[in-house]
Amino acid sequence: MRFLSTRGQTPALGFSDAVATGLAPDGGLFLPERLPDFSGDLGRFERLNYAELCFEFLRVFATDIPADTLRAIVTQSYTRFDHPEIAPLKPLAKNLYVLELFHGPTLAFKDFALQLLGNLYAHQCQVRKETINVLGATSGDTGAAAIHGLIGRPGTAIFILYPDGRVSPLQERQMACTGAGNVFALAVDGTFDDAQAALKEIFADQAFRTRHRLSAVNSINLARVLAQCVYYLYAWLKLPASERGNVEFVVPTGNFGNVLAGWMLQKMGVPIRGFRVATNQNDILYRLFTTGEYRVGDVQPSLAPSMDIQVASNFERFIYFAVGRDPAKVRQVMATFKQTGAYQFENFNRDTFTASRTSDAEIAAIIARVYRDYGYVADPHTACGFKELNSDRVNIVLSTASPAKFPDTIKSAIGLEPKHPSLEALKSRPIVKHRIKATPDAIRAFIDARAV
Ligand SMILES: *Cc1c(COP(=O)(O)O)cnc(C)c1O
């Protein structure tokens, strides 16, 4: 299978090249040239375990990787989860389930994609007999998940920038207490935006990029979206047949990567009724799906920090479909948005999406209510999903992080402090972080000295 850019000015690439490239050179995002139809395979898929299902799904896309190799990569990617089901679907009440996506090494759903991406990178290194240096900036979960995807992998090094003092102490420990020689946690003197700006400049430096075979870790990689389709399929297959035709997935949303994966799966012949985009107070997507206007706002830090974004980088993939797969139209929408900070869609087709918005005050109240009504402890991101449920549907709320990652918010909501053994273990390990100025020169010098 080949992959096209949403902006139509990049030649089609095979799977491995599209994954290695990340962002297309024309500024667009890669999508499969056609969406396969799995409707005839669902019966056969029912009997598979998580890793087998993931392999059967991905093999249709990753046609340039030999099947046995792909199977090994996929199997390896789900060995470090602490639940035998990998993505357990738990019933809470009639017509209400929670899909727990936090059983990976960093206790958030990003492990599903980044464990796989780490193994795909390592595989590329082997095939091409090259090393790779991965660079990214994070406000928390993505950096930790990316690090744990590459920890100790020969031929790789990973450099993650984060704003010093502005990520949660546990998130910092997940990045800075690995003890791995190929992991560099760079605590930047500045904000997340400062780190991001320095990073942009470094990636624009072609000579530096080429010299270190530098690859970006961010939320737009094609492999991340495809890996995330699989847990929607897995959850759907776990339901009693009588409920499968009436499912609405409720998805705590920031960059639109997670919910986009579910929606693409629906377009691949899996009969899902709809999706609810659950935002926190940073509500650009809520406003879009209720008014048809996509307008950037200021980011307000919230109790659900991994959803604190105002420009949803994966949204361009939805736009591509929404404008009838016309790359010229995508370029026009994105250019207008870049210039004016807004785009008003005419006759906006919201497809099967609905949206909700949850304030910080509501998050605390919802955590308390969900605990009282179902005996379930939801993390602050997942809590946004419980804001309102659709009584006409079978609701599956995606739980994107373990409550143990946010002990203070949970404790003040329900009086209990959730704990997780892997986080407790981190507390006794030394923090190894490198304080660094948020300038391209300082970061380049650091990488020059440590790159593989
Ligand atoms: C990243 C993240 C989200 C948002 O996911 P998107 O793909 O950006 O929509 C939600 N919850 C948690 C815990 C996350 O880490």
Side-chain angles (χ1 to χ4, degrees):
M1 167 118 38
R2 296 186 321 154
F3 298 85
L4 307 172
S5 164
T6 47
R7 300 202 188 171
Q9 294 177 323
T10 296
L13 296 180
F15 176 81
S16 296
D17 286 329
V19 169
T21 307
L23 187 69
D26 60 11
L29 311 187
F30 286 108
L31 277 169
E33 63 182 344
R34 61 178 178 82
L35 295 181
D37 180 1
F38 287 106
S39 56
D41 299 297
L42 298 173
R44 174 171 75 84
F45 284 171
E46 229 169 68
R47 293 180 291 278
L48 305 179
N49 69 27
Y50 193 89
E52 290 163 350
L53 181 67
C54 185
F55 165 70
E56 290 295 331
F57 179 83
L58 285 181
R59 68 185 302 186
V60 175
F61 301 94
T63 47
D64 60 352
I65 300 178
D68 285 347
T69 308
L70 183 66
R71 191 192 292 275
I73 288 172
V74 169
T75 305
Q76 170 73 24
S77 301
Y78 296 99
T79 51
R80 297 178 55 218
F81 283 61
D82 69 4
H83 194 289
E85 292 264 341
I86 310 297
L89 181 69
K90 300 196 168 163
L92 294 187
K94 187 169 168 2
N95 290 340
L96 176 60
Y97 295 83
V98 59
L99 179 63
E100 290 187 346
L101 301 176
F102 55 73
H103 292 283
T106 70
L107 313 184
F109 87 92
K110 294 189 173 73
D111 288 325
F112 278 84
L114 287 168
Q115 288 287 305
L116 179 78
L117 192 61
N119 284 311
L120 287 169
Y121 278 150
H123 167 70
Q124 289 254 337
C125 289
Q126 230 176 0
V127 170
R128 300 193 172 164
K129 302 200 172 21
E130 282 176 358
T131 55
I132 187 170
N133 291 288
V134 174
L135 174 62
T138 189
S139 51
D141 283 341
T142 304
I147 283 173
H148 286 261
L150 282 176
I151 224 165
R153 304 300 302 244
T156 72
I158 178 162
F159 302 84
I160 296 292
L161 308 167
Y162 65 94
D164 200 12
R166 297 187 206 209
V167 301
S168 86
L170 283 173
Q171 283 175 330
E172 177 169 59
R173 286 191 168 275
Q174 286 185 318
M175 295 189 277
C177 298
T178 64
N182 71 330
V183 171
F184 302 96
L186 303 181
V188 164
D189 176 14
T191 64
F192 174 68
D193 290 338
D194 297 334
Q196 190 90 51
L199 198 82
K200 239 181 162 169
E201 247 184 78
I202 293 171
F203 276 107
D205 178 348
Q206 282 302 339
F208 186 80
R209 234 176 122 158
T210 311
R211 172 146 44 99
H212 292 305
R213 289 163 310 284
L214 212 57
S215 180
V217 61
N218 49 38
S219 62
I220 51 83
N221 199 291
L222 168 77
R224 291 184 67 175
V225 176
L226 294 178
Q228 290 170 181
C229 293
V230 178
Y231 48 72
Y232 287 92
L233 179 55
Y234 186 75
W236 188 88
L237 291 165
K238 286 282 161 194
L239 287 175
S242 61
E243 296 183 357
R244 286 183 189 161
N246 196 28
V247 175
E248 178 160 304
F249 283 100
V250 183
V251 189
T253 302
N255 265 317
F256 204 71
N258 195 356
V259 71
L260 175 87
W263 182 79
M264 280 175 55
L265 184 75
Q266 180 198 51
K267 302 299 167 223
M268 297 178 206
V270 181
I272 298 165
R273 286 293 283 271
F275 299 89
R276 188 145 58 77
V277 172
T279 75
N280 63 16
Q281 63 198 16
N282 296 295
D283 60 355
I284 182 171
L285 291 168
Y286 169 75
R287 288 182 281 113
L288 169 81
F289 282 108
T290 48
T291 68
E293 189 194 37
Y294 189 58
R295 174 180 291 276
V296 70
D298 288 332
V299 176
Q300 307 282 345
S302 81
L303 292 175
S306 298
M307 289 154 51
D308 287 348
I309 62 101
Q310 277 290 9
V311 178
S313 50
N314 266 291
F315 184 59
E316 183 168 338
R317 288 187 163 109
F318 178 71
I319 295 177
Y320 177 80
F321 291 101
V323 300
R325 306 188 185 212
D326 176 355
K329 184 80 190 166
V330 175
R331 294 199 297 273
Q332 187 222 317
V333 173
M334 295 314 293
T336 306
F337 180 68
K338 195 172 169 192
Q339 261 165 29
T340 66
Y343 191 87
Q344 176 69 51
F345 290 88
E346 307 221 347
N347 308 318
F348 181 65
N349 177 2
R350 58 180 59 81
D351 200 85
T352 51
F353 289 106
T354 57
S356 66
R357 168 194 196 279
T358 307
S359 68
D360 268 8
E362 290 172 311
I363 287 177
I366 291 169
I367 293 172
R369 172 169 62 78
V370 168
Y371 185 60
R372 190 187 63 225
D373 291 355
Y374 314 117
Y376 191 79
V377 183
D379 100 287
H381 303 81
T382 307
C384 296
F386 282 96
K387 162 122 184 206
E388 58 202 40
L389 299 169
N390 184 339
S391 55
D392 297 333
R393 298 271 181 270
V394 175
N395 294 263
I396 301 183
V397 178
L398 269 55
S399 179
T400 52
S402 163
K405 289 191 93 167
F406 305 93
D408 299 340
T409 307
I410 305 292
K411 182 136 194 245
S412 65
I414 62 171
L416 295 174
E417 187 172 327
K419 291 207 155 105
H420 190 283
S422 78
L423 295 178
E424 293 308 305
L426 281 179
K427 290 180 186 167
S428 58
R429 292 217 205 121
I431 292 186
V432 182
K433 64 174 176 180
H434 307 269
R435 289 206 173 76
I436 195 164
K437 283 221 158 45
T439 64
D441 280 346
I443 297 162
R444 267 192 291 249
F446 189 93
I447 295 174
D448 273 330
R450 318 285 176 111
V452 290

